[in-house]
Amino acid sequence: MENTVIQIGSNSVRRVEDLVASVCYDNHLANYHAIISVPLLATIQSLFRQYPDASLLLACSHSRKGLYFDITVSADALHVGENYSEHPSPTLSPDVMSLVNQLADGVELSDRTIRLLFCLNGIGYNESERRRSVLARFYQPVLVES
């Protein structure tokens, strides 16, 4: 399991990108880099907008189905005022949730954690093309000469 703690700031995006790149390239999953990093970064940025004083624990691990990333919001950031539930769950805006649902294979919200699951085996051609079209909204293909 790989993890990192991030706080709002200029290098938080870089730390997330470094973690995703490390996981993808160390496990020979370079083709999944964009599919994982786009919804992960959108989720983290949404959580920082919602909880600007929070620190987030980002953890990555493997399961039978593939990779999952847990994003846990610090407990002190969720406890605002005296009328809070014992285990409040973080929420995502509808546009971020839509993006996450289009690129991730599973999303779970529990306690202080959002889990994004990315299946690595068994994605069909139609699903692969649909995800490619979603990613095309964020990136432009670039020809790299070597």
Side-chain angles (χ1 to χ4, degrees):
M1 177 183 258
E2 297 187 41
N3 60 34
T4 186
V5 175
I6 54 176
Q7 295 177 322
I8 198 163
S10 61
N11 72 347
S12 62
V13 170
R14 177 64 182 218
R15 291 181 75 184
V16 173
E17 279 289 341
D18 289 346
L19 177 67
V20 172
S22 171
V23 168
C24 288
Y25 294 102
D26 290 350
N27 293 291
H28 308 289
L29 301 169
N31 291 340
Y32 289 90
H33 187 236
I35 289 173
I36 293 172
S37 64
V38 168
L40 194 59
L41 285 169
T43 301
I44 288 169
Q45 290 169 340
S46 176
L47 289 172
F48 277 141
R49 280 192 299 275
Q50 189 175 359
Y51 307 106
D53 298 327
S55 61
L56 304 176
L57 173 64
L58 175 61
C60 173
S61 193
H62 304 270
S63 71
R64 268 190 0 232
K65 294 181 180 181
L67 290 175
Y68 63 87
F69 290 84
D70 288 339
I71 307 160
T72 304
V73 179
S74 58
D76 57 332
L78 292 173
H79 301 305
V80 179
E82 294 189 21
N83 296 325
Y84 60 85
S85 64
E86 189 168 327
H87 298 288
S89 294
T91 57
L92 296 175
S93 65
D95 58 331
V96 171
M97 195 60 162
S98 173
L99 173 67
V100 168
N101 283 327
Q102 290 180 54
L103 292 173
D105 295 297
V107 180
E108 297 175 17
L109 302 166
S110 63
D111 288 342
R112 299 175 297 131
T113 302
I114 296 174
R115 174 174 284 181
L116 305 180
L117 172 67
F118 299 92
C119 295
L120 303 176
N121 298 317
I123 296 174
Y125 177 78
N126 290 340
E127 179 64 14
S128 175
E129 288 302 309
R130 186 190 65 76
R131 289 182 187 192
R132 184 175 299 189
S133 70
V134 171
L135 287 174
R137 293 184 230 158
F138 297 92
Y139 296 105
Q140 288 185 325
V142 175
L143 178 62
V144 177
E145 294 183 23
S146 52

